[in-house]
Amino acid sequence: MRTFAVALFLVLAACGGSGDEPTKAAKTSATPGATTTKPTVAPPEGTPAPEALSRFRCAKNAKGAWSSSGHLANRTKAKVTYQVTVYIGEAAGGVEQARTRQVPDVAAGGSTRFVISNVPAPDDGGTCHVQVLAQG
């Protein structure tokens, strides 16, 4: 779910802004021995491709395990690898868990079905969220 939270943050950050004139930033310099922190999770790579997804289903089975499935259609003229991430619960921006699957080499003009089993979910379930990214 970290990729979902990062993607959500990036979308929200892109929506921010104001019409005010930019102000000059104070000049700062790094002090010797200062450490730079790096994100622990890489942001998702790819172009959002929700239009590639159809017949998406997400449900809990009789044993209480969540799974999802759907079809991905490649409407481009080159093969594409899709990254599908499914998250169940409230999108609160915290540290949640999701399941991600790479669906490689979907042919130009082709389609394929995918299944993602054992999607982590809170005990009380929740809403199912899906993200589809096209990767070259």
Side-chain angles (χ1 to χ4, degrees), residues 62-77:
K63 294 182 180 180
W66 284 83
S67 64
S68 63
S69 63
H71 288 78
L72 295 168
N74 178 1
R75 295 181 180 102
T76 69
K77 296 182 180 183

Side-chain angles (χ1 to χ4, degrees), residues 11-88:
V11 170
L12 294 175
C15 294
S18 68
D20 296 337
E21 294 268 331
T23 58
K24 290 187 177 183
K27 186 175 180 180
T28 61
S29 61
T31 58
T35 59
T36 303
T37 58
K38 295 182 181 179
T40 57
V41 176
E45 294 182 14
T47 303
E51 70 282 356
L53 180 65
S54 65
R55 295 186 248 172
F56 180 73
R57 297 185 53 87
C58 184
K60 181 168 60 169
N61 67 19
K63 294 182 180 180
W66 284 83
S67 64
S68 63
S69 63
H71 288 78
L72 295 168
N74 178 1
R75 295 181 180 102
T76 69
K77 296 182 180 183
K79 70 180 178 180
V80 174
T81 294
Y82 290 100
Q83 176 179 296
V84 181
T85 301
V86 177
Y87 164 68
I88 299 165

